[in-house]
Amino acid sequence: MFSHVMIGTNDLDKAKAFYDQLLGTLEVRPARVDGHRIFYITKTGVFSVSKPINGEPATCANGGTIGFACNSPEQVDKWHETGVAAGGTSIEDPPGIRQGPGGKLYLAYLRDLDGNKICAMHRMAN
């Protein structure tokens, strides 16, 4: 359904350092820089971070969350630990199992350096 997801940043260099480390835990290569944007290109889609083209400050989405798929609870934990070590802020409950209408999920939540809410998720066997 989606070709890509793009979020804003006020400091592209800091955002690249943060996401290179964070997405490295998901075996994603470091970003490709394209002027005022960076791109993480995978077989399943593209994640991008950009300085706003209108010159206004980047702001985070109120109510928005970007979710990254993980292969295991251990990968979720590593993602979370790496994100906190790189300057992200742990939010919500600690990483762990949540039961929802879609089954058991192992989740972790962070705010990135610009305040964007991001999540790592592993769908567990029921």
Side-chain angles (χ1 to χ4, degrees):
M1 178 184 291
F2 302 108
S3 65
H4 67 284
V5 172
M6 183 177 290
I7 59 173
T9 185
N10 292 303
D11 189 323
L12 197 61
D13 292 332
K14 285 184 179 179
K16 183 178 183 320
F18 176 82
Y19 279 106
D20 279 358
Q21 290 178 61
L22 187 68
L23 297 180
T25 67
L26 306 181
E27 301 176 8
V28 176
R29 291 188 312 242
R32 183 175 55 103
V33 178
D34 180 16
H36 64 280
R37 301 174 296 196
I38 56 175
F39 293 94
Y40 298 90
I41 301 169
T42 72
K43 293 178 184 176
T44 57
V46 176
F47 177 71
S48 180
V49 183
S50 176
K51 292 191 81 163
I53 60 174
N54 66 1
E56 297 293 321
T59 58
C60 56
N62 185 18
T65 303
I66 306 292
F68 295 96
C70 293
N71 297 322
S72 67
E74 295 79 17
Q75 191 176 43
V76 172
D77 289 338
K78 181 68 175 169
W79 178 95
H80 187 263
E81 292 166 14
T82 300
V84 170
T89 304
S90 183
I91 58 170
E92 312 260 338
D93 292 331
I97 297 172
R98 315 289 196 284
Q99 183 69 46
K104 271 193 209 175
L105 306 173
Y106 194 92
L107 300 169
Y109 290 92
L110 295 171
R111 292 246 180 229
D112 74 4
L113 305 177
D114 290 287
N116 295 294
K117 184 177 177 182
I118 53 178
C119 172
M121 180 184 74
H122 170 67
R123 292 187 189 280
M124 303 180 75
N126 288 321

